[in-house]
Amino acid sequence: MAEEEDLADMPRVVGVLAALLERVTERNDAAAAELELAVAGAPAASAFRATTKPDITVRAYMARIARFAGCSPACYVVAYIYLDRLLRRRRRACAFSVDSYSVHRLLITAVLAAVKFMDDICYNNAYFAKVGGVSLPEMNYLEVDFLFGVGFDLNVSPETFGHYCAVLQSEMLCLELEPPPSPSPAPAARLHCFLAEDDTSSSGSTQHQLAA
C-alpha cells in the first residue's frame, strides 16, 4: 500500500506509533459499536471528535505528518506521552477514547504540542493546520483544549521518556514477530491501558485507550 511505502522512509517510531494507534482505534470502534447496541445515546462531545470519519487512514495520516512537519523523532515519543496524559485526565471527567472520529485531530495536536516543546525551530499553527487538514481557527482551538486537557504538564523527565521508548520498542518487536494473518480467528491480543509514568492499569474500563 502507498502509506506503507511512505512509512518505510520515515523514522521507525513513526510506523510503530501509527500501528499502535491504528489498533487502538479499531478496538475502540468495536467497543463503541457494542455500547451503541446496549445503550442509546450520543457519544460525549469533544472538540477532537469529528462529525464524520476522515477518509485518510491513521497510517497515511501519520506518514503525512512525518513528511511535512519536519520534527525530530523524539517529538513522536513525546506526543505519545502527551496523548496518554490527556486520556488519563479526561477519563475521570467523561467518556473519551481514541477512535476513528478523534484519532486524527488528537494526533496532529499532540505532535504540534510536542514540536513546540521539544524542537528549537518549528512551523507555525497555520502550517500544521494545512498538514492536518483543519482550519487555522480549529487548530488554535484544538491546541488550547489539548493544553488544558493535559493540565499544561508538558515537561517530560528522562526516566519517563525512557519508559515510553521501551514501550514503543516492545511494540516494534511485536510487529516484527507478528505472524501473517490467517483466516482462522486469532486469540485476543495483550492489552495495556494508560501506559504512563505510574504504570497503573484500569481493568474495569470498557474502552481501551492507548493500548498495545
Side-chain angles (χ1 to χ4, degrees), residues 55-84:
D55 294 329
I56 188 171
T57 66
V58 176
R59 288 176 182 266
Y61 195 71
M62 193 76 195
R64 176 179 173 83
I65 293 174
R67 184 182 302 110
F68 295 109
C71 56
S72 61
C75 288
Y76 298 103
V77 180
V78 173
Y80 178 41
I81 295 171
Y82 290 169
L83 283 172
D84 202 33

Side-chain angles (χ1 to χ4, degrees), residues 112-131:
L112 172 63
V115 169
K116 288 187 175 182
F117 189 80
M118 293 290 295
D119 291 354
D120 295 328
I121 301 175
C122 64
Y123 293 107
N124 58 21
N125 283 27
Y127 182 86
F128 267 86
K130 291 182 179 179
V131 172

Side-chain angles (χ1 to χ4, degrees), residues 182-187:
S182 60
S184 59

Side-chain angles (χ1 to χ4, degrees), residues 125-141:
N125 283 27
Y127 182 86
F128 267 86
K130 291 182 179 179
V131 172
V134 297
S135 66
L136 176 57
E138 188 175 21
M139 186 78 264
N140 293 337
Y141 184 83

Side-chain angles (χ1 to χ4, degrees), residues 16 20 23 80 162-178 190 192 195 212:
V16 173
L20 190 153
R23 187 154 62 250
Y80 178 41
H163 169 70
Y164 280 86
C165 282
V167 170
L168 291 173
Q169 287 174 349
S170 176
E171 174 71 14
M172 181 176 62
L173 291 174
C174 290
L175 289 174
E176 292 176 349
L177 297 175
E178 195 173 65
R190 58 188 177 85
H192 301 298
L195 302 174

Side-chain angles (χ1 to χ4, degrees), residues 21 24 28 80-94 96-98 102 106 146 149-150 194 208-211:
L21 289 175
V24 172
N28 283 339
Y80 178 41
I81 295 171
Y82 290 169
L83 283 172
D84 202 33
R85 289 177 179 176
L86 175 72
L87 295 172
R88 278 180 170 273
R89 291 173 62 92
R90 286 288 177 94
R91 68 168 178 170
R92 300 173 188 143
C94 62
F96 185 80
S97 65
V98 178
S102 63
L106 285 169
F146 190 89
V150 299
F194 299 100
H208 306 294
Q209 305 294 345
L210 291 185

